[in-house]
Amino acid sequence: MTVTTPHIRKVPSAAWTVDDLDDLPDDGYRYEIFDGSLLVSPPAAMPHIAATVLLRDALHAQAPAHFKMIEGVGVFPDQRNFYIPDLVVAHVEVLKSRDRGIKPTDVLLAIEVVSPSNPSNDLFIKRKVYAQFDIPEYWVVDRRDLSLLVFRLADGSEYDLAAKVHPGDRWQSDWPFPLSIDPDQIFT
């Protein structure tokens, strides 16, 4: 008979840091750090995964070769903050990094698919944080009303809503490269 022991998580004595992530299990959960507090999310359900993959593919089909759509990469400005957007658009050079993730200055576009269990993380917390880190554009894919919200960085490190697009409408932009997206392409 084989006996297994559960993984014992080391809890830091102070605020969580990026280095503390090394002590967490590789168990399929998403571990992020918000101002020293640990955020844990369960693995995504298939509708969430489908929206991410379909949007990634739609962007990839239009992107010049020096742009990459990267899923699951950590974005960290400092040791007390570590976020994992569902999708990031960056220059191909970031793939050469040996760091745990990438710096916000390398992110041209961050995209989150709203989590049904905690939509405020994507709609408010991450929106505020990504703006403070000067990420130029932030998209939110919201399956609840089948919308794509496009936020652009404005003065004062806050986002302005540039567009709310529904299936049948088309979002066209030159940032981060010339693109055209109809949300019908990402909602199954």
Side-chain angles (χ1 to χ4, degrees):
M1 178 171 159
T2 304
V3 176
T4 60
T5 56
H7 180 83
I8 305 299
R9 294 182 182 161
K10 176 184 162 192
V11 177
S13 58
W16 286 86
T17 68
V18 172
D19 293 336
D20 293 321
L21 295 173
D22 291 334
D23 296 326
L24 297 174
D26 187 7
D27 57 4
Y29 284 85
R30 182 172 282 192
Y31 296 98
E32 299 174 290
I33 302 172
F34 171 67
D35 194 28
S37 295
L38 185 66
L39 303 175
V40 182
S41 301
M46 192 50 74
H48 186 107
I49 293 167
T52 304
V53 168
L54 293 171
L55 181 55
R56 180 204 63 205
D57 291 352
L59 290 171
H60 176 76
Q62 300 175 65
H66 61 279
F67 289 97
K68 293 298 173 193
M69 282 38 69
I70 308 167
E71 289 181 65
V73 68
V75 176
F76 66 104
D78 55 49
Q79 284 294 310
R80 291 174 48 101
N81 290 283
F82 184 85
Y83 301 92
I84 305 172
D86 290 308
L87 194 57
V88 164
V89 177
H91 290 283
V92 68
E93 291 82 21
V94 303
L95 296 176
K96 296 177 184 175
S97 172
R98 298 290 176 231
D99 292 331
R100 174 177 291 282
I102 62 177
K103 297 293 183 191
T105 53
D106 293 324
V107 179
L108 303 171
L109 168 61
I111 301 169
E112 294 285 358
V113 177
V114 172
S115 168
S117 63
N118 196 349
S120 64
N121 278 354
D122 300 323
L123 293 168
F124 301 107
I125 294 173
K126 288 187 177 182
R127 181 172 138 195
K128 181 176 179 165
V129 168
Y130 293 161
Q132 289 174 343
F133 298 152
D134 294 327
I135 294 175
E137 198 158 291
Y138 177 51
W139 291 7
V140 176
V141 175
D142 195 339
R143 295 189 53 79
R144 296 171 306 168
D145 68 349
L146 302 179
S147 66
L148 169 64
L149 302 168
V150 178
F151 296 97
R152 289 208 168 132
L153 198 59
D155 296 333
S157 292
E158 290 187 15
Y159 286 119
D160 285 338
L161 180 63
K164 183 173 184 177
V165 188
H166 290 92
D169 297 330
R170 187 160 289 281
W171 170 249
Q172 295 185 329
S173 180
D174 287 329
W175 183 262
F177 49 81
L179 59 88
S180 178
I181 297 288
D182 180 338
D184 194 46
Q185 295 171 266
I186 57 178
F187 294 115
T188 57

